[in-house]
Every structure is written in C-alpha cells, then in structure tokens.
Amino acid sequence: MAKVELKQPIVNEIKELLTDAQSAVLVSYRGISVEEDTAMRKELREAGVEYKVYKNTMIRFAVKDTEFEPLTADLTGPTAIAVSKTDATAPARILAKYAKNIEVFNLKSAVVEGTFYDKDGVQVIASIPSRDELLAKFLGSIQSPITNFARVIKQIAEKDGDAPAEEAAEAAE
C-alpha cells in the first residue's frame, strides 16, 4: 500500500472537520502540561469545539483550495487545530485564556467566518463575547428602559390611587 493511500483517510477526516466550520484556530501546544491540556480540552469540548493534533502536511493537504488555506503559512512546529461549527469565537476565546496563563502555549492564526487573522487578530477575536452573552446584553439594554418606565407608571398610579381612598375615608367619618 502506498503512503498516499495511508494518509488519505486522515486528510479526509480533516476536510470533514472543516466542512461547515465557522472558525479554525491554530496553536503551538509545545510545553503544555497534561493537567492544563486536559482542563483545556474539557472546556473546549463543553463549548462544542473540536481540538485535534495532526501533522502539518496533513492539514496543508486538507485546507488546499478552501477558505482555510491561509492557515498554511503558520503550519510549522507542533501545531494543534481547534474548530467550531457553532460559535465562531469560542475556540479563540478559550485558547486565548489558556495562552495568557501558559507562556509556552501560543496562538498562531485563525480563520473566522472566512476571514484570516494573524496572532494579534486572534487576540481581538478572543475578546469578543459569545453570541449568547451579546444577546443577553442586548435584551438587558432593551428591557431596562421599559422596566423603569413601568415602575414610574406604577408609582404614579399608586400615588394617585391612594389620594381618592383617603378622601373617601375622611368623608365617611
């Protein structure tokens, strides 16, 4: 069996992983401890992010002629790839948190919703809150003025409602 036939299933696996992906982030994982790696993988899994280590040449073949092709420039040294199909910022956000605490763990680059970002761009993407957090903030900002308006109306109604009741009580005496 030729080497190409042995490697083709791995390349197909990577292609499948990247199909319909919203984002892919490359990291240099050299020097991360087992405990840190286990905690990071658990957090990534809970966020719906696939985190895999492949040979750089396999990733290079898989991303050829796709929107993820710009990542090939950073496929040097030990490289892992984190891919999300649901939350575009989740891989960058979680990996940046660990990169901040672990000196040897570095973000390389990313493609988020078809746009390539270098190391600094990935840091900016990582600072963006998740979609759920943004929706919660938006709904909170909409709800706040309405709630305040309702409180004022209620206070006015209570104030005006108390006055006729007191007058009626005084008239009855």
Side-chain angles (χ1 to χ4, degrees), residues 66-86:
T66 68
E67 66 182 359
F68 299 100
E69 192 168 15
L71 295 174
T72 57
D74 291 311
L75 290 172
T76 57
T79 304
I81 186 168
V83 178
S84 177
K85 295 187 180 198
T86 55

Side-chain angles (χ1 to χ4, degrees), residues 24-92:
V25 180
L26 294 180
V27 294
S28 173
Y29 64 89
R30 182 182 303 178
I32 188 171
S33 72
V34 174
E35 295 83 18
E36 293 165 332
D37 187 56
T38 303
M40 180 183 67
R41 285 176 184 265
K42 181 178 185 278
E43 191 171 341
L44 287 166
R45 237 186 340 270
E46 289 170 354
V49 177
E50 295 252 1
Y51 179 79
K52 301 272 187 170
V53 176
Y54 294 107
K55 289 190 173 205
N56 292 334
T57 54
M58 299 296 143
I59 297 174
R60 218 175 257 114
F61 284 126
V63 299
K64 187 175 174 81
D65 299 327
T66 68
E67 66 182 359
F68 299 100
E69 192 168 15
L71 295 174
T72 57
D74 291 311
L75 290 172
T76 57
T79 304
I81 186 168
V83 178
S84 177
K85 295 187 180 198
T86 55
D87 185 353
T89 62

Side-chain angles (χ1 to χ4, degrees), residues 2 14 20 23-25 30 40 43 47 51 56 65 72 99 104-107 109 126 137 139-140 142 147 157 160 172:
I14 299 168
D20 298 328
S23 64
V25 180
R30 182 182 303 178
M40 180 183 67
E43 191 171 341
Y51 179 79
N56 292 334
D65 299 327
T72 57
V104 292
F105 186 76
N106 299 315
L107 298 169
S109 61
K137 288 180 181 180
L139 291 175
I142 290 175
T147 304
D160 291 343

Side-chain angles (χ1 to χ4, degrees), residues 10 13 15 18 22 29 34 36 40 43 54-55 60 74 91-93 97 125 137 145 150-151 156 161-164 172:
I10 298 168
E13 178 184 329
K15 283 183 178 180
L18 293 172
Q22 289 190 9
Y29 64 89
V34 174
E36 293 165 332
M40 180 183 67
E43 191 171 341
Y54 294 107
K55 289 190 173 205
R60 218 175 257 114
D74 291 311
R93 197 173 49 254
K97 181 175 81 173
I125 294 295
K137 288 180 181 180
R151 282 189 194 128
I156 292 172
D162 288 345

